């Protein structure tokens, strides 16, 4: 049996990736296109919902516009970075290659027997449904039942 990507996990993470990319694009568009087209007074009105008072000099309004534009750049960068991180994590999970049968298991193209397992760390199983196979060669394989279907079935055979 081969572990398969949990569709619920994949859909949620894909949604977050798309949402963060869209927000990053929206903030970027505001900072690169919308805000530069507006005068500082227009930008102030659109953000604050009122006209700037007399104490708002032209220099102060220009500084306000620069700060708000820079904020949009920052939000855009953060959202795009989040989209990249979540998207790459989802891609990594989708590439996880693990299958098993009654004789042993195959991980990333390498065949292992049950005797190759030194220990199964289930300390995070109850809370997070994560188990770590510690192999005799010193390596470890993390199995996450939220990311992949079939982990419970495999652990039942170990």
């Amino acid at each position: 049996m081969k572990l398969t990507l949990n569709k619920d996990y994949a859909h949620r993470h894909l949604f977050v990736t798309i949402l963060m990319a869209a927000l990053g694009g929206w903030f970027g568009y505001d900072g690169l296109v919308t805000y530069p087209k507006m005068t500082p007074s227009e930008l102030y009105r659109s953000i604050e919902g009122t006209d700037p008072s007399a104490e708002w000099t032209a220099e102060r309004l220009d500084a306000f516009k620069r700060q708000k534009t820079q904020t949009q750049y920052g939000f855009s960068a953060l959202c795009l970075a989040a989209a990249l991180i979540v998207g790459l994590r989802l891609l990594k999970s989708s590439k996880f290659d693990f299958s098993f049968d009654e004789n042993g298991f195959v991980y990333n193209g390498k065949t292992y027997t049950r005797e190759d397992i030194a220990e199964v760390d289930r300390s995070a199983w109850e809370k997070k449904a994560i188990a770590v196979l510690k192999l005799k060669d010193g390596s470890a394989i993390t199995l996450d039942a939220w990311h992949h279907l079939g982990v419970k079935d495999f652990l039942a055979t170990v």
Side-chain angles (χ1 to χ4, degrees):
M1 178 178 179
K2 183 169 177 55
L3 298 188
T4 58
L5 191 62
N6 180 348
K7 287 186 190 297
D8 188 37
Y9 162 81
H11 291 155
R12 288 180 187 205
H13 283 71
L14 184 59
F15 173 77
V16 170
T17 300
I18 293 168
L19 177 65
M20 290 292 110
L23 285 172
W26 184 347
F27 289 129
Y29 185 83
D30 276 352
L32 294 169
V33 178
T34 304
Y35 287 12
K37 285 182 182 178
M38 301 172 87
T39 67
S41 294
E42 289 173 331
L43 182 60
Y44 183 91
R45 268 191 299 282
S46 74
I47 293 173
E48 300 296 329
T50 183
D51 287 328
S53 61
E55 69 218 27
W56 281 87
T57 63
E59 293 81 25
R60 191 168 171 200
L61 285 169
D62 284 339
F64 175 84
K65 182 177 178 177
R66 277 193 307 278
Q67 186 270 327
K68 295 303 181 185
T69 302
Q70 289 297 321
T71 299
Q72 295 304 95
Y73 295 155
F75 285 155
S76 178
L78 286 173
C79 288
L80 293 174
L84 182 65
I85 290 167
V86 174
L88 288 175
R89 181 66 187 109
L90 178 58
L91 180 64
K92 181 181 176 189
S93 294
S94 73
K95 300 290 184 191
F96 188 78
D97 182 25
F98 190 98
S99 59
F100 64 95
D101 59 22
E102 62 278 348
N103 300 319
F105 62 95
V106 177
Y107 173 66
N108 286 342
K110 186 173 179 189
T111 303
Y112 296 91
T113 64
R114 303 252 189 266
E115 290 75 36
D116 292 326
I117 301 172
E119 177 189 355
V120 179
D121 178 1
R122 298 175 192 245
S123 60
W125 184 255
E126 288 302 316
K127 194 168 191 177
K128 297 183 177 185
I130 294 173
V132 179
L133 301 179
K134 295 181 180 180
L135 304 179
K136 290 181 180 174
D137 66 7
S139 62
I141 303 169
T142 302
L143 301 175
D144 190 328
W146 165 235
H147 295 178
H148 298 95
L149 301 176
V151 173
K152 291 177 187 176
D153 297 331
F154 172 74
L155 292 176
T157 68
V158 178

